[in-house]
């Protein structure tokens, strides 16, 4: 990979890269976007059309996001557009617009390792969003019904429900295909050939290619890219679906039942031999036709209850039920522990307030689970961790005895408990702390109960 030194300029100087440039004074963004608003005879005109750009601007602002290499924040985008939009619009229509490099950011993956994100500038996010809004209606009707990721009115929960239906039909073997660094290894030529199947406007094709090849900025070095579409830009999800749509069509041609969510694809078959054969055929197709790499260490053909799919798994019973995968439960426990470690020096209410969005969001995602016991166990575990936090905050024997008495524990029992010499975790699970801090106490403080939340989801679903 080639490297070249690139100096990152501040946001106020970004417009210097466009030679057309006229400033617009104090005009509003709406007026700026509507300047020279001609009919849209081709795709690029549809991209820069006033209504499309206004919607793109609204969505970029709603999504917020970190600045790119130019340092321009989303809340500064309005003023920047007022001054520079006519210049950018003219460059887009002329086919001469050059995207800036994306800022490389690595984040930890839940399963270990890191995931590379490429953060475009706020202006490039706006343009990508505008392109997406025009391209999505063109490609969306032609995608497979078994594709669920990054598509309107489709969700991970729908993919899990479809997978459960396949298992319930007797397809009790799964081929779980894991693509190694998929977003980093997308072949640009293959991807552009898929885009060109339905797009003929050369300006749009060139612009998408330029976004794919835009440099990746790390510590002042811009790395030239010859493959990959780093996650972080609005266009990346659609482009990934375009690449993997060929996989969907191949699986349909072979008559397979499958669910795909982005690069996470599970194929359901009825026998061990069929699973083995499907794994070999799918691997060959991905590596030879799409030039992608299958991670053989993480890919496998197995029973569905021995694998996870989008954080879920299934039971082995004849009447298949959806359950939460063990790895998902472990990740929740780790996040709760991290939150509670930070809460040792603050009030219980503040700690619960921080836990609330975590627990509510987790239960919202895993609302499909049909195994209630694990939710009851997690609820009890969270309350015990909070009781443990309370016990540690009391610190001294006298404080513990007096506090227990205030919570309704008799004087003898309170002093016996305060002087028992046991650790915080043991006491958090003991009868005196359960009596002093029952579930109703945490309910009043607003602690989310996973069991209660799940019950409400079932009532209203």
């Amino acid at each position: 990979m080639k490297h070249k030194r690139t100096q990152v300029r501040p946001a106020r100087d970004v417009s210097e890269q466009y030679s057309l440039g006229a400033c617009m004074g104090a005009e509003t963004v709406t007026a700026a976007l509507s300047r020279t608003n001609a009919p849209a005879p081709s795709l690029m005109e549809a991209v820069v059309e006033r209504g499309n750009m206004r919607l793109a601007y609204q969505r970029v602002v709603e999504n917020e996001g970190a600045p790119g290499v130019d340092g321009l924040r989303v809340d500064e985008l309005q003023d920047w557009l007022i001054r520079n939009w006519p210049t950018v619009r003219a460059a887009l229509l002329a086919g001469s617009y050059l995207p800036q490099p994306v800022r490389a950011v690595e984040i930890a993956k839940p399963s270990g390792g890191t995931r590379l994100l490429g953060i475009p500038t706020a202006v490039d996010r706006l343009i990508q969003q505008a392109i997406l809004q025009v391209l999505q209606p063109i490609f969306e009707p032609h995608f497979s019904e078994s594709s669920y990721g990054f598509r309107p009115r489709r969700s991970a929960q729908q993919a899990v429900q479809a997978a459960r239906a396949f298992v319930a039909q007797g397809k009790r073997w799964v081929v779980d295909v894991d693509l190694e660094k998929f977003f980093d290894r997308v072949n640009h030529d293959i991807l552009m050939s898929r885009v060109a199947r339905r797009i003929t406007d050369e300006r749009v094709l060139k612009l998408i290619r330029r976004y794919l090849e835009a440099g990746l900025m790390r510590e002042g070095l811009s790395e030239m890219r010859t493959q990959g579409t780093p996650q972080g830009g609005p266009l990346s999800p659609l482009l990934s679906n375009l690449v993997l749509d060929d996989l969907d069509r191949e699986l349909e041609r072979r008559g397979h039942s499958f669910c795909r969510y982005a690069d996470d694809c599970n194929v359901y078959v009825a026998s061990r031999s069929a699973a083995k054969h499907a794994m070999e055929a799918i691997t060959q197709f991905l590596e030879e036709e799409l030039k992608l790499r299958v991670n053989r260490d993480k890919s496998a053909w197995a029973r569905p209850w021995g694998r996870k799919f989008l954080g879920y798994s299934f039971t082995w019973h004849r009447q298949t039920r959806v359950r939460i995968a063990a790895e998902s439960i472990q990740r929740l426990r780790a996040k709760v522990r991290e939150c509670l470690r930070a809460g040792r020096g603050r009030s219980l209410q503040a700690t619960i307030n921080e836990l609330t969005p975590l627990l509510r969001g987790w239960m919202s995602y895993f609302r499909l689970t049909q195994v209630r016991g694990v939710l009851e166990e997690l609820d009890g575990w969270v309350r015990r961790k909070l009781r443990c936090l309370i016990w540690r905050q009391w610190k001294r024997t006298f404080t513990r005895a007096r506090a227990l008495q205030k919570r309704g524990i008799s004087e003898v029992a309170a002093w016996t408990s305060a002087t028992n010499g046991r650790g915080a975790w043991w006491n958090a699970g003991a009868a005196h702390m359960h009596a002093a801090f029952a579930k109703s106490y945490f309910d009043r403080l607003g602690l989310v109960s996973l069991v209660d939340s799940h019950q409400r989801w079932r009532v209203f679903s």
Side-chain angles (χ1 to χ4, degrees):
M1 184 173 291
K2 300 178 181 179
H3 301 271
K4 61 179 181 180
R5 290 283 179 182
T6 302
Q7 183 177 356
V8 182
R9 291 182 286 179
R12 64 179 64 92
D13 297 328
V14 171
S15 60
E16 295 174 7
Q17 66 180 298
Y18 308 113
S19 59
L20 301 176
C23 292
M24 299 188 64
E27 293 182 10
T28 65
V29 172
T30 300
L33 296 181
S34 62
R35 178 69 70 90
T36 61
N37 185 30
S42 62
L43 208 59
M44 186 58 83
E45 280 73 13
V47 169
V48 300
E49 185 269 332
R50 173 188 175 186
N52 188 57
M53 292 304 305
R54 288 179 64 184
L55 179 59
Y57 174 80
Q58 178 184 343
R59 289 182 174 169
V60 168
V61 170
E62 288 173 352
N63 291 335
E64 298 181 349
V69 296
D70 61 354
L72 182 70
R73 302 191 309 270
V74 170
D75 59 5
E76 300 172 323
L77 182 57
Q78 174 174 318
D79 292 338
W80 195 98
L81 289 171
I82 289 171
R83 296 191 304 271
N84 299 291
W85 173 246
T87 302
V88 176
R89 185 181 189 277
L92 289 169
L93 290 173
S96 60
Y97 179 84
L98 296 176
Q100 294 194 74
V102 297
R103 182 166 63 88
V105 176
E106 291 187 346
I107 61 172
K109 295 171 67 174
S111 56
T114 59
R115 175 181 287 113
L116 177 66
L117 299 183
I119 308 300
T121 65
V123 176
D124 282 325
R125 290 207 296 275
L126 174 69
I127 296 170
Q128 285 194 36
Q129 180 64 40
I131 296 172
L132 173 66
Q133 290 166 184
V134 172
L135 295 191
Q136 196 161 51
I138 297 173
F139 289 103
E140 175 63 26
H142 305 282
F143 285 144
S144 169
E145 287 298 312
S146 297
S147 167
Y148 295 89
F150 309 123
R151 297 181 60 190
R153 296 173 296 281
R154 286 176 170 258
S155 66
Q157 285 80 7
Q158 290 174 328
V160 172
Q161 288 174 323
R164 190 208 67 81
F166 291 142
V167 178
Q169 292 168 8
K171 297 176 179 178
R172 296 166 73 84
W173 288 88
V174 62
V175 178
D176 186 354
V177 181
D178 183 271
L179 293 173
E180 187 174 319
K181 295 186 177 180
F182 165 71
F183 286 92
D184 299 338
R185 291 207 167 101
V186 170
N187 183 284
H188 288 176
D189 292 333
I190 291 176
L191 171 54
M192 290 308 303
S193 71
R194 273 48 175 180
V195 177
R197 287 173 179 174
R198 300 189 184 278
I199 303 302
T200 58
D201 191 322
E202 288 294 328
R203 296 167 299 176
V204 174
L205 293 174
K206 286 180 181 178
L207 183 55
I208 294 174
R209 169 74 79 163
R210 287 169 182 164
Y211 273 121
L212 291 174
E213 295 176 348
L216 192 67
M217 189 71 72
R218 300 175 191 259
E219 300 178 354
L221 281 177
S222 180
E223 304 173 3
M224 297 177 62
R225 289 190 290 150
T226 58
Q227 63 178 7
T229 169
Q231 301 174 74
L235 265 179
S236 182
L238 175 65
L239 298 180
S240 68
N241 273 333
L242 282 174
V243 172
L244 292 175
D245 186 58
D246 278 19
L247 171 62
D248 298 341
R249 299 307 173 190
E250 177 66 14
L251 293 174
E252 289 174 346
R253 187 184 69 80
R254 293 172 177 268
H256 285 308
S257 299
F258 69 97
C259 300
R260 184 177 65 78
Y261 191 95
D263 59 334
D264 199 342
C265 183
N266 277 10
V267 181
Y268 296 89
V269 295
S271 68
R272 179 189 182 99
S273 59
K276 181 179 179 181
H277 176 75
M279 174 63 81
E280 295 171 353
I282 294 168
T283 300
Q284 182 179 7
F285 178 83
L286 287 168
E287 295 186 340
E288 294 183 3
E289 298 297 326
L290 300 184
K291 309 303 179 186
L292 298 172
R293 186 181 301 174
V294 174
N295 188 329
R296 287 168 170 77
D297 293 333
K298 295 184 178 179
S299 300
W301 45 273
R303 295 291 196 177
W305 45 89
R307 306 292 294 181
K308 64 181 177 67
F309 180 52
L310 301 177
Y312 283 90
S313 190
F314 306 98
T315 66
W316 54 268
H317 303 89
R318 184 174 297 276
Q319 296 296 324
T320 304
R321 293 188 295 166
V322 178
R323 66 179 178 87
I324 303 170
E327 293 90 337
S328 302
I329 296 169
Q330 291 169 5
R331 284 200 290 271
L332 175 65
R333 287 177 179 264
K335 290 179 180 178
V336 170
R337 288 190 186 100
E338 182 179 348
C339 177
L340 293 179
R341 274 197 297 270
R344 291 181 181 178
R346 62 188 176 195
S347 70
L348 180 66
Q349 184 65 70
T351 301
I352 289 176
N353 290 344
E354 184 171 336
L355 278 174
T356 295
L358 169 63
L359 297 175
R360 183 171 289 132
W362 191 85
M363 194 65 254
S364 173
Y365 182 82
F366 288 107
R367 62 184 180 271
L368 294 184
T369 183
Q370 296 172 300
V371 180
R372 180 186 171 100
V374 69
L375 301 180
E376 295 173 344
E377 181 182 344
L378 282 170
D379 265 352
W381 178 79
V382 170
R383 288 194 293 269
R384 185 171 179 178
K385 293 291 287 186
L386 290 172
R387 294 186 189 105
C388 187
L389 184 65
I390 294 169
W391 187 265
R392 285 198 175 102
Q393 288 179 339
W394 285 341
K395 294 183 180 178
R396 296 186 302 167
T397 300
F398 178 79
T399 304
R400 289 167 178 170
R402 290 294 298 273
L404 286 172
Q405 290 178 64
K406 288 180 180 180
R407 295 298 307 163
I409 306 300
S410 69
E411 183 177 0
V412 174
W415 278 101
T416 301
S417 301
T419 58
N420 61 28
R422 301 277 190 168
W425 182 248
W426 186 93
N427 277 282
H432 55 273
M433 287 296 283
H434 273 267
F437 299 97
K439 178 181 180 297
S440 58
Y441 172 82
F442 294 108
D443 289 342
R444 287 194 297 273
L445 292 180
L447 179 66
V448 173
S449 166
L450 301 179
V451 172
D452 294 347
S453 299
H454 183 249
Q455 184 61 34
R456 284 193 291 271
W457 276 111
R458 290 176 62 87
V459 169
F460 292 106
S461 61

